[in-house]
Amino acid sequence: MAYWLVKSEPSSWSWSQQVAKAAKGEAWTGVRNHTAKLNLTKMKKGDQAFFYHSNEGKEIVGIVEIIREHYPDPSDPSGKFVCVDLKADKPFKTPVTLVAIKEEKALADMELIKFSRLSVQHVTADQWKRICKMGGL
DNA sequence: GCCAACGTTGGC
DNA sequence: GCCAACGTTGGC
């Protein structure tokens, strides 16, 4: 069981859109970065991930579950990149903002802060627990 | 294979 | 809207 964080700009794909697909999940496509791709390939069915809104909000708004492991991204004509299927699990009672994460010393080494441009990131079990608590779960 | 130029991302 | 960080491209 591993934990992850995926980022999306709400203007292109938001949490509410993810929730709307809750029953059958939705392909998480469009990753065009090799580090992010590497993380996608490590995801296992049943793993959980934070859903982060970049630019607008800059906060973690909920949790998604990986329901299908990596396969070729249908939106990539070169066939080099992969995607996974995610379904919305549950929303945070209180969104956890980037500011709040930065203020929490125990989370200072999160990839979210260190590699802000990476769109698929690994989260440690300790970071996961802390952020869930901050989110009211 | 190096590196400058350029494009994109995302926080501020 | 600016700019820093980073990835990609293309000339040499």
Side-chain angles (χ1 to χ4, degrees), chain A residues 12-81:
Chain A
S12 55
W13 187 257
S14 69
W15 171 254
S16 57
Q17 285 173 285
Q18 190 68 45
V19 170
K21 303 281 184 180
K24 66 183 180 69
E26 181 73 10
W28 188 258
T29 62
V31 169
R32 295 292 181 269
N33 170 287
H34 294 287
T35 308
K37 178 196 167 181
L38 185 68
N39 283 334
L40 284 179
T41 63
K42 289 181 190 165
M43 288 178 171
K44 298 283 181 212
K45 192 175 177 181
D47 281 358
Q48 290 179 303
F50 289 133
F51 194 96
Y52 177 79
H53 277 176
S54 63
N55 266 318
E56 291 172 49
K58 281 169 288 181
E59 59 195 12
I60 296 170
V61 290
I63 292 171
V64 293
E65 181 184 329
I66 286 82
I67 56 169
R68 183 179 172 188
E69 292 178 19
H70 68 96
Y71 57 97
D73 184 342
S75 74
D76 174 27
S78 76
K80 287 180 183 168
F81 290 96

Side-chain angles (χ1 to χ4, degrees), chain A residues 91-107:
Chain A
F92 275 0
K93 291 197 180 79
T94 316
V96 178
T97 64
L98 184 64
V99 173
I101 290 169
K102 284 187 170 174
E103 282 174 354
E104 178 61 53
K105 288 191 182 65
L107 301 173

Side-chain angles (χ1 to χ4, degrees), chain A residues 3-4 7 12 16 29 36 38 44 65 80 82-83 98 101 103 110 118 121-122 127 132-133:
Chain A
Y3 300 107
W4 309 93
K7 297 201 296 190
S12 55
S16 57
T29 62
L38 185 68
K44 298 283 181 212
E65 181 184 329
K80 287 180 183 168
V82 301
C83 62
L98 184 64
I101 290 169
E103 282 174 354
M110 270 193 80
L118 183 59
Q121 311 183 345
H122 175 64
Q127 290 163 351
C132 283
K133 191 178 269 185

